[in-house]
Each structure stands twice: as structure tokens, then as C-alpha cells.
Amino acid sequence: MHSDRASLGLRIAAVAGLAFLHLPILLIFLYAFTTEERTYAFPPPGLTTQWFAVAWSRPDIWDALLLSLQVAAVATVLAMILGTLVAAAMSRARFFGREQISLLVLLPIALPGVITGIALRSAFGIMDIPFSTWTIILGHATFCIVIVYNNAVARFRRLSGGVMEASADLGANAFQTFRYVLLPNLGTALLAGGMLAFALSFDEVIVTTFTAGQQATLPIWMLEELIRPRQRPVTNVVAMVVFAATFLPILIAYYLTRNGQELAGSGK
Amino acid sequence: MSREAIFPARGPADRLTAAFWRHPRLLLGLLLTPPLLWLGVVYLGSLAALLLQSFYSIDEFSGMVVPEFTLKTYAELLRPSNYDVILRTLLMSAAVTLGCAVIAFPIAYYAARFARGRLKALFYLGVMLPLWSSYLVKVYAWKLILAKEGIITWAAESTHTSGILNAILALPVIGGNSLSTSYVGMFLVFTYVWLPYMILPMQAALERVPTSMLEASQDLGATRAQTFRTVILPLALPGVIAGSIFTFSLTMGDYIIPQIVGNSANFIGMAVYQLQGTAGNIPLAAAFAVVPILIMLVYLTLARRAGAFDAL
């Protein structure tokens, strides 16, 4: 009989692997409280909460945070609309070009981000479009569509076509069926997709550097600090905030979809 | 008294519903038009613009882009300094993919075969959270870890293993002044950041390996190692390949990690970024960007043939 218990070596390797995934992030929390200003010395010589106050009173951080929230919110809404439309179309019918469309949706994240970035930038250049908040949103919405799509299409697949036919038989028109049958069934999947899209957009930096011009989103602000560290303690605090801001939507998305195993993580 | 079986149309919404019913293509068209316009125009249009630029060249004296068709820019890719960049990027991508596969396997295997109930949920969440959490924060955490005064040096000193650390750093080529300025450090960061992308498809593939096959293998007298090599590995391979699509592609296109960790050797992503930015050589940047596209297209074709897409 095949043994039902994992060997000790496997258990150690699995737990060590998970620890490898999580310990580095925990370190961020420790460093946000360090009293050391100039280096990344470990262990921290002392602990303090003063950097939270310093970060709080920095207008440049607030500006970057607001821009990031704004971009993520608009890009998420756009992606939710477009992603749901594709998912609805794909679930309804077999048609010519179906495979190509699914590839097209996937392409913005299957190709390295630097390519999406430079492609958008050269297109803006050719068409003389000046950089603005909208150019950032344009890029973000493009690669967020697939996140919403993945979640929605999995839910559509589980949804039996019978409920829609029943709704039509009972005299509902297409819009009523959408409002009273489809939307309640899709709700959590769309919300989960939206949460993940928001998290992705909020910390996106690779495409953003190409589409942002002079504006700085929070990740761009952080990237500049990473390349030329000037205010390490404040950056530590910002890193913690960014982590928290993406952590919560992910957790919510997980709880919204945990029964269906449809949180298409491999499709980030 | 007979009543009509079909409700009469009560307004434009009903009439539209009837039209959808009679012409299913109409609804399909309405659903697909906005997203296809967006992806077709914004995204494919941009890619076309990029491709177009890669066939332009730059005037060496004025530094202006000459909008005439030429293959000169692609020929420049083969210059030793540029060719090295491509080779270095491919080697790093391959190494990272291998590293991810080795670390991911025990996690995926344990989660797929032995974890049940709450433990399984814990494993799933334990992979999902790092996957989705902020890329920059993860890289930043590693900058803290790899720094010369950071936790690794401290740990090596307090366990009296500094000798091992120094021996690794003293290795030619992959070593360096400190972990944060060496290829070893860069490899670690890349492996860490892309590891979850390998675990998930691998786990999905392993979950589909039927237990009966493992039992049959054991009944026929295979040792654990033989079962692993002849049953589990071939069946898990599509998952590994699916995961490798992500680790390979993501490493190949990254331009932030090589900027922050490592000895400032150039990588494809960085070359694209610098050429379009400070150097202003858009055609060469575009030509560099076409390289990963081509590699990924070949990779995806091979992966599809190996059945990797079913494991996604």
C-alpha cells in the first residue's frame, strides 16, 4: 500500500520552502521600527515608532499614495467591465477566433512587463499623447482585464445554463436576467477579481515607469528610494503600508472564492 | 379562454431580448466589441508600433530616428556586447527556472498529496499571499537581507559559518564583494520572487496524478525513487513546464532586480529601459524587446506541444 504519511525529508523541505516564502516579508515589519538611519544593520540597534510620524507628515508620500489609489480604482472598474464582457462572450458560444481572443486577453501578462511598457510608450510617442494619469490607467487596465476575466470565466463555467433559460421562460428579459440571476451569481467572483486587479494595479511598477511621465505612484516613489536610498527609515514604513494595502484585498478575494478553487493565481 | 404562451413585448428591453434570441451573434458582438476594441487598439496597436520602430535605425551623427525600413538595428543585436546581454539573460532565466522547480517541488507535492482540510487551505494561502503581495516590497526585503550589514552576514557570524559565506562570495564570476552585488544574490531574489508561479501549476499537475498509479507502481516492486522517476515526474512534467513559462518569461523581462541587486551587468529588460530612456535609442530598444517576444513564442509553442496548457 502506498504510505499515507509524508516522509520526514519531504515535510522538512515543504515547511522550509514555505518559510523561505514568508520570512523575508516579516523582516520588513521589523525594519519599520529600527532606530538605525543610515544602514540596513541587523539586528536593529533599537526600536522606535517615530518613523510612522515622519512618514505621515510627508506630502510627497501622500501625493503618491493618492495617485496610486486613484489609478488602481479607475483601472479596476475598467478591467471589471471589460473582463466580464469577454468572459460572458466566451462562456456563451463557440465561435471563430475564440482561441485567439483568449490568447489576446492573456498576452499583456504572458509577455514580460517591460514589453507592454515600451510598446505603450512608443505608441504614445507616435500619437503625441502626453503622459498623464490617464496614460497610467490605460496601461494598468490592459493587464488587469485578464485577472477579472480569469475569475469571471471560472464562475460562468460553474453556472449552469439552466438558470438563465428558466429566467427567460418565466418572462424575464435579458436585462432582468442579468440583474436578478446573473449578477447575484457572479457577484463574489467579480468582487474577487476586482480585489486582485486592485492589488496588482496598486503595486505595479514595471509598466508604470514607462507610462507615468513625471508623476510618481507609490511604487515609483519606492523604486527611486530603492535605487538611490536617501531616507531608509521612511521607505521601511512605506514598504509596510504598501504590503498591507495589497495584503487585505488578496485575503478578501481568497475568502470570496475559497469554495470554488477558482482564484486563478497562476494567471497573475 | 386561451392565453398566449408568449408574453407580449412590454418595451424596448423586451424587444432587444427578442432580437438577441433570434440573432445570437448580435449579443456576442455587443459583448465582445468593447474589450476587443480596447485590447486590439490599445495593446496590439502598441505592439505593432513597437515592432515598426525596431525596423527603423538611428542616425549616428544626429542621434535622430530615421524612419526608413532597415535591418541594421537587428544586426546590432549580434555585436558581442549586446549578444552577451542576451546570453546572460537567458542563462539567468534558465538558472532561476531550475532553482524554482527544485524548491517548488516539495511544497507542491506535499500540498497536493498529503495536506488535507485546513492544512491544505493554509498551504494554498501560504503560496497565494506571497504571489500577489507587492513585488517591490519583496525586492526591498531582499535588499535588507542581502546587505553587507544585513541578516545573512549576522547569521553567518553568530553561527560561525562566515567562512562558507566568504567562500561563496570568493567564487569567480558568480561571487562578488557582498551578496547584494553578486549574481548569487540576484539569483536568490529572482528565485524568491517568482517561486509561487512555479508552485501553483506544479501542484495542479500533481493533484491530477492518480493515487492508484502510485499504488500500482509500489505493488510492482518499485522503490520510492523509482516511482518518483518513472511515474510522478513524467506526469508532473506539464505542470513544471507551465510554471517554467512564468519563471522564464518574468526573469527575462525584469529590469528592476538587476538594477537593485547584482554587479550592474546588463540584462535585456535593463537594456530596453536604458536605451529608450537615457540613450534615446528607441529602435535598438525595440529590437531588444522583440527578442523575448520571439523566445516566448517559441517557448509557448513547445509548451503547448508538451501539454503544459492543460496544467494551467
Side-chain angles (χ1 to χ4, degrees):
Chain A
M1 208 196 95
H2 187 77
S3 70
D4 254 5
R5 285 189 61 76
S7 68
L8 188 67
L10 178 65
R11 262 183 286 169
I12 291 173
V15 171
L18 275 189
F20 175 65
L21 276 175
H22 288 271
L23 290 181
I25 296 174
L26 290 180
L27 208 63
I28 290 275
F29 285 78
L30 178 65
Y31 270 92
F33 296 97
T34 182
T35 49
E36 174 64 50
E37 276 184 63
R38 267 176 256 289
T39 66
Y40 297 123
F42 188 94
L47 298 176
T48 171
T49 52
Q50 60 162 319
W51 305 119
F52 288 86
V54 174
W56 184 270
S57 60
R58 286 279 298 270
D60 57 329
I61 295 177
W62 279 108
D63 288 346
L65 179 66
L66 286 179
L67 181 64
S68 281
L69 288 175
Q70 214 177 329
V71 167
V74 181
T76 302
V77 170
L78 281 172
M80 279 174 82
I81 296 169
L82 296 171
T84 314
L85 287 175
V86 193
M90 301 295 261
S91 73
R92 292 183 60 85
R94 309 264 167 272
F95 52 89
F96 177 73
R98 195 170 182 276
E99 290 274 301
Q100 283 70 23
I101 290 176
S102 78
L103 189 68
L104 180 63
V105 174
L106 195 76
L107 213 54
I109 49 159
L111 290 180
V114 67
I115 293 182
T116 308
I118 192 179
L120 285 169
R121 192 185 188 115
S122 59
F124 293 151
I126 288 174
M127 290 189 287
D128 278 324
I129 298 174
F131 295 117
S132 67
T133 310
W134 285 104
T135 52
I136 308 178
I137 292 172
L138 201 78
H140 283 205
T142 305
F143 59 72
C144 283
I145 293 175
V146 63
I147 312 294
V148 179
Y149 166 79
N150 274 347
N151 279 275
V153 91
R155 184 61 64 87
F156 267 116
R157 217 176 282 144
R158 282 202 307 165
L159 199 66
S160 94
V163 289
M164 317 241 290
E165 282 164 20
S167 165
D169 283 350
L170 293 168
N173 65 38
F175 301 93
Q176 288 166 326
T177 304
F178 176 76
R179 170 71 188 78
Y180 296 108
V181 179
L182 210 48
L183 210 54
N185 273 301
L186 283 180
T188 50
L190 290 186
L191 203 56
M195 289 283 168
L196 293 177
F198 186 90
L200 183 62
S201 166
F202 187 80
D203 78 55
E204 212 296 328
V205 67
I206 294 190
V207 176
T208 318
T209 45
F210 287 93
T211 57
Q214 297 301 316
Q215 284 176 297
T217 60
L218 203 54
I220 290 190
W221 184 93
M222 244 191 95
L223 180 63
E224 277 160 19
E225 282 302 316
L226 269 173
I227 295 170
R228 276 176 294 279
R230 275 181 311 220
Q231 33 222 329
R232 296 174 198 233
V234 180
T235 313
N236 293 335
V237 173
V238 171
M240 210 177 110
V241 171
V242 171
F243 177 75
T246 48
F247 181 84
L248 288 176
I250 304 159
L251 215 57
I252 296 170
Y254 169 74
Y255 279 105
L256 287 173
T257 53
R258 72 192 140 155
N259 299 321
Q261 286 282 316
E262 62 198 22
L263 201 62
S266 55
K268 179 172 175 179
Chain B
M1 192 178 107
S2 72
R3 290 185 59 185
E4 278 196 65
I6 299 170
F7 291 102
R10 283 160 300 189
D14 284 7
R15 272 190 284 279
L16 208 54
T17 306
F20 290 156
W21 183 252
R22 277 192 292 273
H23 311 282
R25 300 269 137 172
L26 181 67
L27 180 57
L28 192 66
L30 280 179
L31 288 174
L32 277 177
T33 306
L36 283 190
L37 270 181
W38 183 285
L39 287 170
V41 174
V42 174
Y43 193 65
L44 288 186
S46 301
L47 281 181
L50 178 72
L51 199 64
L52 185 73
Q53 302 239 19
S54 70
F55 290 108
Y56 292 168
S57 64
I58 199 149
D59 189 286
E60 278 168 33
F61 298 104
S62 62
M64 299 291 285
V65 175
V66 185
E68 282 164 22
F69 179 85
T70 171
L71 287 174
K72 209 174 84 186
T73 311
Y74 278 102
E76 265 186 67
L77 283 184
L78 296 175
R79 269 205 306 218
S81 60
N82 291 336
Y83 181 74
D84 275 358
V85 172
I86 296 173
L87 199 66
R88 184 180 302 129
T89 309
L90 290 183
L91 280 176
M92 181 55 90
S93 305
V96 168
T97 300
L98 206 67
C100 283
V102 170
I103 303 178
F105 193 86
I107 305 176
Y109 190 63
Y110 190 89
R113 185 139 304 274
F114 299 106
R116 291 280 168 270
R118 291 183 78 84
L119 189 63
K120 188 155 187 130
L122 194 73
F123 261 87
Y124 184 67
L125 209 55
V127 178
M128 284 303 290
L129 282 176
L131 176 90
W132 284 96
S133 59
S134 172
Y135 162 84
L136 267 186
V137 172
K138 285 184 279 191
V139 178
Y140 186 64
W142 277 89
K143 197 171 164 96
L144 301 176
I145 294 170
L146 297 176
K148 212 173 176 63
E149 69 275 14
I151 189 168
I152 290 191
T153 313
W154 173 80
E157 270 165 19
S158 43
T159 54
H160 306 289
T161 48
S162 295
I164 300 175
L165 184 63
N166 290 333
I168 293 173
L169 287 177
L171 290 172
V173 186
I174 62 165
N177 197 17
S178 75
L179 276 174
S180 63
T181 56
S182 67
Y183 282 125
V184 181
M186 197 193 289
F187 168 79
L188 278 173
V189 181
F190 270 131
T191 308
Y192 173 78
V193 172
W194 309 135
L195 180 60
Y197 293 86
M198 180 62 97
I199 299 177
L200 288 178
M202 218 181 213
Q203 187 183 337
L206 283 168
E207 259 160 19
R208 266 175 254 161
V209 177
T211 320
S212 57
M213 285 202 184
L214 303 184
E215 286 167 0
S217 166
Q218 240 169 14
D219 287 347
L220 294 170
T223 63
R224 265 172 187 269
Q226 280 174 320
T227 307
F228 176 78
R229 213 178 53 240
T230 55
V231 181
I232 298 173
L233 206 56
L235 287 170
L237 202 60
V240 181
I241 296 173
S244 76
I245 295 173
F246 292 105
T247 54
F248 201 86
S249 159
L250 289 165
T251 311
M252 200 163 52
D254 196 281
Y255 69 90
I256 287 177
I257 292 171
Q259 265 183 87
I260 293 168
V261 188
N263 53 9
S264 61
N266 221 339
F267 282 73
I268 291 180
M270 245 169 107
V272 171
Y273 183 68
Q274 284 164 355
L275 283 168
Q276 63 84 32
T278 45
N281 191 346
I282 303 266
L284 189 57
F288 255 118
V290 170
V291 175
I293 299 183
L294 288 181
I295 293 172
M296 280 325 288
L297 284 181
V298 174
Y299 206 117
L300 287 172
T301 316
L302 292 176
R304 184 186 284 264
R305 215 170 283 171
F309 284 17
D310 307 328
L312 282 178

